[in-house]
Amino acid sequence: MPALAATLTRSSLASLNSCFVRDGLVTDSRLNPAGIRQNRRPDGSQLSNKCSPVVVLAAGTAHRRRKWPEARPLVSGRVTRKALVLIKELKTKPPTNEDELHQRLENWVKGVRPHRRDLIDTIKEMDTADTRELLCQVMQWSLSEDWYEADARDYTKLVERFGKDGRLGEMERAFAGMEADGIAPDLISFSVKINAYGRAKEVEKAEAAWEEMRLRGITPDAKAYTTMMTVYGKAGQPDKAEQLLDAMLAAACKPSLVTLCSIITAYGLAGRPDDAQRVSDKVLTDLTPDCNTFTALSAAFGLNGRTDEAVAAFKRMVAAGLKPDDRSVARLVEAHGSMDRQLALLLGEGGEGGEGGREDEEGGGKESEREGGRGEGSEEEQLTGSATSEEGRVKGREASEEEKLRCRQAVKLVLELEGAGIRPGVETYTSLISLFASHGLVREAAEVFEEMQRVGLQPNARTYTRLFQAYALAGDMDSCSQVRKTMQVLGWTLNPPIVRGMVRALVAGGQGGAAAELVREAEEEEGMRVDGDVKEMAGRYAEELVH
């Protein structure tokens, strides 16, 4: 990480108002807070003030030759020939309305006489961000076709898809349609439904689904227990999660490491890392911890500013012969954003990097993998991330020396681990972007994004969301717009986690009107169910849209 290493040669991060300097360049490439690239002579004088705004995006950067993206393959895996016929038709020329789609599907059935496997392959290949709405329509159509012989798995996949998109009403109708067609929901079906309610933070509905499952005589397994524990953890009710763990043990159902991680994360989020350690000691008597377990435990301490214990858990991971992964390092980086001020000052003289946990992973993820999470960060929490504490941040403010110190410690930690053979990955770079953005160091966040691409790492949806947050906190709406456009080009549509993270950053950056407009777009144009607290946050500034 040469661009990051250049920062460490300075006495402090007080000079972070200038960007990381790349060695060997004739001109010094810089970004100002608005994302405008400026070229300077070696003596520091500016060459030109007429520079177009540039956001470092996936197409490349201004000082390198443009690399055109490769064409996306039509299919990602092996499919039947009959499936390929339908996939090609739907992807190359998408139908404009539902009636046209149904007509094409009927013509396909008449023309090729497909079997069940052919439509299953089609559905699998249509599960991408840019064809997701079309996927739901195809799945709904398939359930009414006698030749397809839909079973509980087909209905459950539709329930899962609606749940992931936050469309609870349609999810509930799909679940009810399963029973109306004479197909009894099974353990996996209820687990997916409970997980969908957990994503939407509808704890009471999740509890009702759990009780209904038990009343029907369906015995939960370890994955189902973990799913419900994760719901409680995300709702800030770790005691209920542990009560469920005790019930699980009483039923002679052995918990998995995933189960343990969900409890650890729940207590970490509730500000009770000591209870997380207690539960860990109780469960690990019969289990061998893995990398995810240590990461969840260190994250629980790091999230609450207990850096010494977080680092100790990280060291125990290494001592156990486990190699820390990208997420483990990312959680360490994030600790520098959650430490209190006094702890940051104590770390000013060579203190060890801290560890910050992100929240729990979604319980009952995929329909075929109903696991409660690995304790390193759910999709939602990773995307919203540090924006949780951004509300109230003063737009365009300067980072304090203590905050710069935290950033310096984080960069130093990453470089030390890289020197030990642990290379930073997408998660680590994304956490660095978030750390710089949360302290108002927008140019540094953009430079980390550029460095990430330079070393050949592909940013994901969370990375782009964090870059959006950086610009939103600085009030740079032009750059925010560019990031949004790039996400759309890459096929990343709005979903509840992305909307939550963007809205919080916009409000914190003084762009309440844009936050309210984003919520409106998500609900009216995307048909998404936006969480009540997010709507309330943006709604406080809705009047700005009128003026």
Side-chain angles (χ1 to χ4, degrees), residues 1-151:
M1 301 173 66
L4 298 180
T7 306
L8 296 182
T9 62
R10 304 167 184 172
S11 58
S12 70
L13 289 192
S15 57
L16 272 179
N17 55 352
S18 61
C19 288
F20 300 102
V21 179
R22 294 186 179 281
D23 297 331
L25 295 180
V26 177
T27 58
D28 181 9
S29 181
R30 301 176 186 271
L31 288 174
N32 65 18
I36 299 178
R37 187 172 295 282
Q38 299 176 340
N39 293 324
R40 296 179 181 272
R41 298 185 181 90
D43 61 2
S45 59
Q46 186 170 324
L47 289 174
S48 172
N49 288 325
K50 298 180 179 180
C51 300
S52 60
V54 176
V55 180
V56 187
L57 299 177
T61 56
H63 66 276
R64 296 200 302 271
R65 180 175 298 177
R66 187 183 184 93
K67 293 183 179 180
W68 295 99
E70 297 180 359
R72 183 182 300 178
L74 187 64
V75 294
S76 59
R78 297 181 62 180
V79 299
T80 65
R81 291 184 178 181
K82 293 180 180 180
L84 186 60
V85 171
L86 181 59
I87 293 169
K88 183 177 180 180
E89 181 177 355
L90 295 180
K91 285 192 174 183
T92 56
K93 191 178 179 181
T96 57
N97 54 62
E98 191 171 349
D99 291 336
E100 180 183 350
L101 171 64
H102 288 178
Q103 185 61 49
R104 288 195 194 182
L105 290 170
E106 291 171 4
N107 292 340
W108 175 68
V109 172
K110 293 177 182 179
V112 303
R113 297 185 180 277
H115 300 288
R116 175 177 169 82
R117 174 58 187 272
D118 302 317
L119 191 52
I120 289 177
D121 283 354
T122 301
I123 290 173
K124 185 189 304 181
E125 289 295 331
M126 297 293 290
D127 193 7
T128 59
D130 52 344
T131 59
R132 195 148 287 160
E133 181 58 35
L134 191 59
L135 165 69
C136 292
Q137 294 177 4
V138 172
M139 293 174 71
Q140 288 176 297
W141 171 84
S142 68
L143 298 177
S144 62
E145 294 294 304
D146 294 336
W147 65 268
Y148 183 63
E149 299 179 350
D151 56 19

Side-chain angles (χ1 to χ4, degrees), residues 12 22 45 54 101 147 195 240 260 271 307 318 498 505 523 545:
S12 70
R22 294 186 179 281
S45 59
V54 176
L101 171 64
W147 65 268
N195 178 54
K240 285 189 174 182
L260 174 60
T307 312
V318 177
I498 290 177
E523 290 189 319
L545 295 176

Side-chain angles (χ1 to χ4, degrees), residues 55-284:
V55 180
V56 187
L57 299 177
T61 56
H63 66 276
R64 296 200 302 271
R65 180 175 298 177
R66 187 183 184 93
K67 293 183 179 180
W68 295 99
E70 297 180 359
R72 183 182 300 178
L74 187 64
V75 294
S76 59
R78 297 181 62 180
V79 299
T80 65
R81 291 184 178 181
K82 293 180 180 180
L84 186 60
V85 171
L86 181 59
I87 293 169
K88 183 177 180 180
E89 181 177 355
L90 295 180
K91 285 192 174 183
T92 56
K93 191 178 179 181
T96 57
N97 54 62
E98 191 171 349
D99 291 336
E100 180 183 350
L101 171 64
H102 288 178
Q103 185 61 49
R104 288 195 194 182
L105 290 170
E106 291 171 4
N107 292 340
W108 175 68
V109 172
K110 293 177 182 179
V112 303
R113 297 185 180 277
H115 300 288
R116 175 177 169 82
R117 174 58 187 272
D118 302 317
L119 191 52
I120 289 177
D121 283 354
T122 301
I123 290 173
K124 185 189 304 181
E125 289 295 331
M126 297 293 290
D127 193 7
T128 59
D130 52 344
T131 59
R132 195 148 287 160
E133 181 58 35
L134 191 59
L135 165 69
C136 292
Q137 294 177 4
V138 172
M139 293 174 71
Q140 288 176 297
W141 171 84
S142 68
L143 298 177
S144 62
E145 294 294 304
D146 294 336
W147 65 268
Y148 183 63
E149 299 179 350
D151 56 19
R153 293 286 71 71
D154 299 301
Y155 281 94
T156 301
K157 288 177 182 177
L158 183 60
V159 169
E160 178 192 24
R161 185 67 269 158
F162 283 137
K164 284 186 174 181
D165 292 340
R167 299 157 65 175
L168 293 189
E170 292 169 281
M171 183 272 292
E172 291 168 343
R173 286 192 291 273
F175 194 90
M178 181 192 316
E179 297 185 276
D181 290 341
I183 299 176
D186 57 11
L187 177 60
I188 297 178
S189 304
F190 273 104
S191 296
V192 169
K193 184 179 183 181
I194 292 169
N195 178 54
Y197 285 133
R199 284 175 177 268
K201 296 180 173 58
E202 295 282 358
V203 181
E204 293 182 358
K205 290 185 176 182
E207 289 178 326
W210 177 267
E211 290 302 322
E212 180 184 357
M213 178 183 71
R214 299 298 299 272
L215 289 174
R216 293 192 181 200
I218 300 176
T219 303
D221 60 4
K223 294 179 180 179
Y225 274 112
T226 302
T227 298
M228 193 64 209
M229 290 178 199
T230 305
V231 172
Y232 284 132
K234 291 176 68 63
Q237 302 176 22
D239 292 315
K240 285 189 174 182
E242 187 173 357
Q243 290 173 7
L244 205 58
L245 173 64
D246 294 336
M248 179 181 182
L249 294 172
C253 182
K254 184 178 179 180
S256 65
L257 291 176
V258 176
T259 309
L260 174 60
C261 286
S262 67
I263 299 290
I264 291 174
T265 307
Y267 276 120
L269 291 174
R272 297 162 60 182
D274 291 325
D275 285 320
Q277 182 67 67
R278 175 181 55 78
V279 173
S280 175
D281 294 339
K282 178 173 67 176
V283 175
L284 287 180

Side-chain angles (χ1 to χ4, degrees), residues 280-468:
S280 175
D281 294 339
K282 178 173 67 176
V283 175
L284 287 180
T285 56
D286 297 324
L287 296 173
T288 301
D290 60 3
C291 182
N292 298 324
T293 309
F294 285 112
T295 299
L297 189 57
S298 59
F301 284 110
L303 188 64
N304 293 281
R306 305 265 297 270
T307 312
D308 290 340
E309 291 94 331
V311 173
F314 187 87
K315 289 182 176 180
R316 289 202 303 272
M317 180 197 313
V318 177
L322 300 170
K323 184 176 181 179
D325 59 14
D326 187 27
R327 288 191 173 190
S328 302
V329 179
R331 302 295 89 83
L332 280 171
V333 169
E334 291 167 358
H336 293 79
S338 57
M339 289 189 299
D340 57 46
R341 291 178 175 269
Q342 292 182 349
L343 184 57
L345 289 173
L346 290 175
L347 289 178
E349 304 244 347
E352 294 186 72
E355 168 110 10
R358 208 38 85 197
E359 277 100 67
D360 55 308
E361 186 127 20
E362 291 289 346
K366 294 184 179 180
E367 172 267 326
S368 59
E369 301 173 1
R370 299 167 298 105
E371 299 187 322
R374 291 159 42 179
E376 309 135 46
S378 68
E379 178 187 11
E380 174 175 351
E381 314 309 358
Q382 288 176 356
L383 286 174
T384 58
S386 59
T388 304
S389 59
E390 301 299 350
E391 197 172 2
R393 183 175 294 280
V394 181
K395 173 183 173 181
R397 70 163 183 82
E398 293 293 330
S400 67
E401 292 300 318
E402 296 170 8
E403 290 171 330
K404 292 175 182 178
L405 174 60
R406 299 178 190 181
C407 294
R408 182 175 186 273
Q409 290 289 331
V411 174
K412 181 178 180 181
L413 170 67
V414 173
L415 291 172
E416 288 177 347
L417 291 174
E418 185 177 16
I422 304 173
R423 294 179 60 84
V426 174
E427 288 288 328
T428 300
Y429 276 98
T430 301
S431 294
L432 284 171
I433 292 172
S434 175
L435 180 62
F436 284 131
S438 66
H439 296 317
L441 302 171
V442 183
R443 288 169 293 184
E444 289 65 45
E447 183 69 12
V448 171
F449 186 90
E450 182 177 2
E451 172 70 10
M452 176 182 183
Q453 292 182 298
R454 190 191 69 78
V455 300
L457 294 175
Q458 182 63 42
N460 56 24
R462 180 187 173 222
T463 310
Y464 280 102
T465 302
R466 292 299 179 87
L467 187 63
F468 179 97

